[in-house]
Amino acid sequence: MVRLHVVVVCSVVGFLGLVLVILGVASEAATAQALVPDELDIDGFNVNCVYRTTPALGCGIVAALLALTAQIAVTTTSLLCGCCRTWELPTTTRHIVGIVLSVVSWIIVIIVVALFLAGAAMNTDQKRQLTADKKCPVDPGSALFAAATVFSLVATGLQIASYVLLLATPKGSTKPLATQQQTEVAMGQPVQLEPRQDADEVVAGGDPLPPSAPPLSRATEPTSKV
């Protein structure tokens, strides 16, 4: 049975990933509003294109913060509920894969944050030079937002996968011996007990101890002569 907090965490991470996609698409569409049409800044022989601030600035900053928040939340929850629950280093393949996915997701999230912030910085009031074909870039930062949106989807999948893998506890790694024996008995498996030593123990020299003489009963006790 899937635990409730697993469903909650995965749902929250998936929702934040969906929000990141929406913000990325909205930012990419807003870049078309940055260029001020039919307006050039002519300074001698230098001709610059004029750009204004667009909603992509706010969307990019919010998206970067949400991506970082989701990654921190998943990592913290995994450490508290899964990976370090037994205060031991995970040794199973399942946990090792989960740690690798978590590290990769951190790297991708850092790239996502950098792309969103770079795209947002290109959608502020500024002046840019003409391109090689003497034209003004219509949508500055559009490629950055598109790449950040794709990477955010990949990061969301890795976050959910790493959380689920790190949450599992290796079988038999943290159970005490008594608990394992009780589990085996409950499942109908025989428990192997340690063999007891025989009554006739072997002494240090190698000869067995002589058997003890049975005690005399009252009927066989010698009577005292008067």
Side-chain angles (χ1 to χ4, degrees):
M1 181 178 180
V2 181
R3 283 168 286 187
L4 180 59
H5 64 86
V6 177
V7 178
V8 172
V9 173
C10 293
S11 300
V12 172
V13 174
F15 175 75
L16 291 178
L18 179 61
V19 173
L20 287 177
V21 172
I22 295 175
L23 290 176
V25 173
S27 300
E28 184 178 0
T31 56
Q33 305 174 10
L35 177 63
V36 179
D38 301 329
E39 184 175 345
L40 296 175
D41 180 65
I42 301 175
D43 184 11
F45 295 99
N46 296 326
V47 179
N48 298 321
C49 303
V50 179
Y51 294 87
R52 56 172 173 259
T53 303
T54 66
L57 173 63
C59 291
I61 295 176
V62 172
L65 293 177
L66 286 180
L68 191 59
T69 302
Q71 182 64 38
I72 294 175
V74 170
T75 303
T76 304
T77 308
S78 300
L79 292 176
L80 294 178
C81 300
C83 180
C84 295
R85 177 171 50 191
T86 60
W87 301 105
E88 297 179 356
L89 291 177
T91 55
T92 62
T93 304
R94 188 185 188 95
H95 279 69
I96 294 175
V97 174
I99 292 176
V100 172
L101 293 181
S102 180
V103 173
V104 174
S105 66
W106 265 106
I107 296 175
I108 295 179
V109 165
I110 293 175
I111 296 175
V112 169
V113 172
L115 291 175
F116 273 124
L117 292 179
M122 296 181 66
N123 282 265
T124 57
D125 292 334
Q126 58 182 316
K127 298 176 183 179
R128 299 173 62 89
Q129 294 181 353
L130 298 174
T131 59
D133 54 356
K134 303 300 180 180
K135 294 182 180 180
C136 296
V138 179
D139 49 355
S142 177
L144 298 177
F145 287 124
T149 303
V150 175
F151 279 122
S152 64
L153 287 175
V154 177
T156 301
L158 292 176
Q159 289 167 356
I160 295 176
S162 64
Y163 174 75
V164 173
L165 291 176
L166 289 175
L167 193 65
T169 304
K171 294 183 179 179
S173 61
T174 58
K175 290 184 179 180
L177 180 59
T179 305
Q180 292 181 359
Q181 292 180 353
Q182 292 176 1
T183 304
E184 292 177 356
V185 172
M187 296 177 62
Q189 300 178 357
V191 180
Q192 296 181 357
L193 300 177
E194 296 181 357
R196 298 189 304 174
Q197 296 181 353
D198 193 82
D200 299 334
E201 298 181 351
V202 179
V203 295
D207 297 328
L209 293 176
S212 57
L216 296 176
S217 60
R218 290 185 178 180
T220 60
E221 289 182 357
T223 58
S224 60
K225 298 182 179 180
V226 179

